Short mmCIF file of all heavy atoms in Angstrom, two decimals:
data_model
loop_
_atom_site.label_atom_id
_atom_site.label_comp_id
_atom_site.label_asym_id
_atom_site.label_seq_id
_atom_site.Cartn_x
_atom_site.Cartn_y
_atom_site.Cartn_z
N ASP C 264 12.36 5.35 19.67
CA ASP C 264 13.46 5.74 20.64
C ASP C 264 13.54 7.26 20.83
O ASP C 264 14.06 7.68 21.87
CB ASP C 264 14.81 5.24 20.10
CG ASP C 264 14.88 3.76 20.14
OD1 ASP C 264 14.04 3.12 20.75
OD2 ASP C 264 15.84 3.18 19.45
N LEU C 265 13.08 7.99 19.87
CA LEU C 265 13.13 9.44 20.05
C LEU C 265 11.91 10.08 20.65
O LEU C 265 11.86 11.25 20.96
CB LEU C 265 13.34 10.12 18.65
CG LEU C 265 14.79 10.06 18.17
CD1 LEU C 265 15.09 8.79 17.45
CD2 LEU C 265 15.05 11.21 17.21
N LEU C 266 10.85 9.26 20.80
CA LEU C 266 9.61 9.85 21.40
C LEU C 266 9.61 9.73 22.90
O LEU C 266 10.15 8.78 23.49
CB LEU C 266 8.43 9.00 20.86
CG LEU C 266 8.19 9.14 19.34
CD1 LEU C 266 7.10 8.22 18.95
CD2 LEU C 266 7.84 10.59 18.95
N PRO C 267 8.99 10.72 23.58
CA PRO C 267 8.84 10.59 25.01
C PRO C 267 7.95 9.41 25.38
O PRO C 267 7.11 9.02 24.56
CB PRO C 267 8.17 11.96 25.45
CG PRO C 267 7.57 12.47 24.18
CD PRO C 267 8.30 11.91 23.03
N GLU C 268 8.11 8.93 26.56
CA GLU C 268 7.34 7.75 26.99
C GLU C 268 5.86 8.00 26.98
O GLU C 268 5.04 7.09 26.84
CB GLU C 268 7.76 7.29 28.38
CG GLU C 268 8.96 6.39 28.35
CD GLU C 268 9.21 5.72 29.68
OE1 GLU C 268 8.29 5.15 30.24
OE2 GLU C 268 10.36 5.78 30.09
N ALA C 269 5.45 9.27 27.08
CA ALA C 269 4.06 9.62 27.12
C ALA C 269 3.32 9.33 25.79
O ALA C 269 2.14 9.25 25.74
CB ALA C 269 3.86 11.03 27.52
N VAL C 270 4.08 9.25 24.75
CA VAL C 270 3.48 9.06 23.38
C VAL C 270 3.58 7.61 22.99
O VAL C 270 4.66 7.05 22.92
CB VAL C 270 4.22 9.93 22.33
CG1 VAL C 270 3.61 9.64 20.95
CG2 VAL C 270 4.01 11.43 22.66
N ASP C 271 2.45 7.00 22.74
CA ASP C 271 2.34 5.64 22.37
C ASP C 271 1.84 5.54 20.93
O ASP C 271 0.85 6.15 20.57
CB ASP C 271 1.34 4.92 23.39
CG ASP C 271 1.46 3.49 23.29
OD1 ASP C 271 2.57 2.93 22.94
OD2 ASP C 271 0.44 2.79 23.56
N LEU C 272 2.52 4.73 20.10
CA LEU C 272 2.07 4.56 18.74
C LEU C 272 1.32 3.27 18.61
O LEU C 272 1.87 2.20 19.01
CB LEU C 272 3.25 4.60 17.76
CG LEU C 272 3.95 5.97 17.69
CD1 LEU C 272 5.10 5.92 16.65
CD2 LEU C 272 3.02 7.08 17.41
N VAL C 273 0.11 3.32 18.13
CA VAL C 273 -0.75 2.14 18.05
C VAL C 273 -0.84 1.77 16.59
O VAL C 273 -1.06 2.63 15.69
CB VAL C 273 -2.16 2.50 18.62
CG1 VAL C 273 -3.13 1.30 18.44
CG2 VAL C 273 -2.05 2.91 20.08
N HIS C 274 -0.74 0.48 16.25
CA HIS C 274 -0.79 0.13 14.90
C HIS C 274 -2.20 -0.16 14.42
O HIS C 274 -3.04 -0.64 15.18
CB HIS C 274 0.01 -1.20 14.68
CG HIS C 274 1.38 -1.11 15.29
ND1 HIS C 274 2.28 -0.20 14.93
CD2 HIS C 274 1.90 -1.80 16.34
CE1 HIS C 274 3.32 -0.36 15.67
NE2 HIS C 274 3.15 -1.34 16.54
N GLY C 275 -2.47 0.21 13.17
CA GLY C 275 -3.84 0.11 12.69
C GLY C 275 -3.93 -0.95 11.57
O GLY C 275 -3.01 -1.71 11.33
N PRO C 276 -5.02 -0.97 10.87
CA PRO C 276 -5.35 -2.03 9.96
C PRO C 276 -4.84 -1.75 8.49
O PRO C 276 -5.25 -2.45 7.58
CB PRO C 276 -6.90 -2.04 9.94
CG PRO C 276 -7.22 -0.61 10.09
CD PRO C 276 -6.17 0.01 10.98
N GLY C 277 -4.00 -0.79 8.34
CA GLY C 277 -3.65 -0.44 6.96
C GLY C 277 -2.54 -1.27 6.33
O GLY C 277 -1.65 -0.76 5.69
N CYS C 278 -2.68 -2.54 6.52
CA CYS C 278 -1.72 -3.48 5.91
C CYS C 278 -2.58 -4.32 4.99
O CYS C 278 -3.25 -5.23 5.44
CB CYS C 278 -1.01 -4.24 6.99
SG CYS C 278 -0.15 -5.68 6.40
N PRO C 279 -2.56 -4.03 3.69
CA PRO C 279 -3.52 -4.80 2.81
C PRO C 279 -3.27 -6.28 2.76
O PRO C 279 -4.14 -7.08 2.38
CB PRO C 279 -3.32 -4.17 1.44
CG PRO C 279 -2.02 -3.53 1.50
CD PRO C 279 -1.75 -3.11 2.90
N VAL C 280 -2.07 -6.70 3.06
CA VAL C 280 -1.70 -8.13 3.12
C VAL C 280 -2.27 -8.73 4.44
O VAL C 280 -2.89 -9.78 4.40
CB VAL C 280 -0.21 -8.31 3.14
CG1 VAL C 280 0.18 -9.78 3.31
CG2 VAL C 280 0.38 -7.81 1.79
N CYS C 281 -2.16 -7.95 5.51
CA CYS C 281 -2.60 -8.50 6.78
C CYS C 281 -4.06 -8.75 6.87
O CYS C 281 -4.51 -9.58 7.62
CB CYS C 281 -2.22 -7.50 7.92
SG CYS C 281 -0.44 -7.19 8.03
N VAL C 282 -4.84 -7.88 6.11
CA VAL C 282 -6.33 -8.02 6.25
C VAL C 282 -6.91 -9.03 5.32
O VAL C 282 -8.16 -9.25 5.35
CB VAL C 282 -7.00 -6.65 6.11
CG1 VAL C 282 -6.50 -5.69 7.21
CG2 VAL C 282 -6.73 -6.08 4.70
N ILE C 283 -6.13 -9.68 4.51
CA ILE C 283 -6.67 -10.69 3.61
C ILE C 283 -6.99 -11.95 4.35
O ILE C 283 -6.14 -12.55 5.00
CB ILE C 283 -5.60 -11.03 2.47
CG1 ILE C 283 -5.52 -9.84 1.54
CG2 ILE C 283 -6.06 -12.23 1.70
CD1 ILE C 283 -4.68 -10.15 0.30
N PRO C 284 -8.24 -12.42 4.30
CA PRO C 284 -8.60 -13.65 5.03
C PRO C 284 -7.98 -14.83 4.34
O PRO C 284 -7.73 -14.85 3.12
CB PRO C 284 -10.11 -13.70 4.96
CG PRO C 284 -10.58 -12.59 4.04
CD PRO C 284 -9.36 -11.81 3.60
#
Side-chain angles (χ1 to χ4, degrees):
Chain C
D264 291 348
L265 280 84
L266 294 175
E268 274 191 50
V270 175
D271 195 28
L272 296 182
V273 176
H274 311 300
C278 165
V280 174
C281 302
V282 298
I283 290 189

